[in-house]
């Protein structure tokens, strides 16, 4: 998996389960606790290659906020979800946190990636 090509300690990847293809152009914001850290947009592989700001990992709760309503509207579809928020705990500061999102208009799943 090429998630490790990024030096960022937190990465993500979105697959659109309706089309079976990467979700391109999804805006994502990253928060540490309630503090805004960085943002970015998924590329042609559905990955967020570069965050807008540098991320220094702390032992804390992080939130990824995916603007999926905009993504589906851009595709010409309605979505039940406007934003999907995935909150997770980072405790091992030497570790890499990869948080994939499997997405459809009426459901989603996520897991701890590698």
């Amino acid at each position: 998996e090429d998630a490790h090509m990024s030096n960022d300690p937190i990465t993500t990847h979105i697959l659109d389960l309706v089309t079976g293809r990467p979700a391109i152009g999804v805006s994502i914001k990253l928060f540490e606790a309630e503090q805004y850290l960085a943002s970015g947009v998924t590329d042609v592989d559905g990955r967020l290659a570069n965050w807008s700001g540098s991320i220094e990992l702390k032992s804390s709760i992080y939130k990824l906020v995916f603007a999926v309503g905009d993504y589906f509207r851009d595709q010409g579809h309605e979505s039940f979800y406007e934003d999907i928020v995935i909150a997770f705990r980072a405790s091992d500061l030497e570790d890499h946190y990869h948080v994939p999102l499997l997405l459809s208009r009426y459901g989603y799943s996520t897991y701890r990636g590698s």
Side-chain angles (χ1 to χ4, degrees):
E1 177 134 8
D2 47 332
H4 288 90
M5 289 177 68
S6 170
N7 291 330
D8 288 322
I10 298 171
T11 56
T12 188
H13 172 227
I14 308 173
L15 182 66
D16 185 330
L17 292 175
V18 177
T19 63
R21 303 186 91 43
I24 302 167
V26 179
S27 294
I28 304 167
K29 290 183 180 164
L30 176 66
F31 295 83
E32 186 258 318
E34 298 301 317
Q35 178 75 37
Y36 169 81
L37 286 184
S39 61
V41 177
T42 56
D43 63 15
V44 294
D45 292 323
R47 296 181 186 280
L48 201 158
N50 297 97
W51 289 104
S52 65
S54 63
I55 301 163
E56 191 175 326
L57 202 61
K58 296 186 218 169
S59 183
S60 188
I61 303 293
Y62 289 85
K63 286 183 196 166
L64 290 163
V65 180
F66 300 85
V68 298
D70 290 340
Y71 165 75
F72 282 114
R73 276 188 293 279
D74 289 347
Q75 308 295 313
H77 300 291
E78 291 263 327
S79 171
F80 180 69
Y81 303 103
E82 190 59 33
D83 292 319
I84 293 173
V85 178
I86 300 173
F88 63 96
R89 179 179 301 279
S91 50
D92 184 346
L93 303 186
E94 299 301 309
D95 219 341
H96 174 91
Y97 293 88
H98 185 59
V99 186
L101 177 64
L102 303 175
L103 179 63
S104 82
R105 293 186 294 158
Y106 301 105
Y108 66 92
S109 64
T110 184
Y111 56 95
R112 169 98 193 248
S114 59

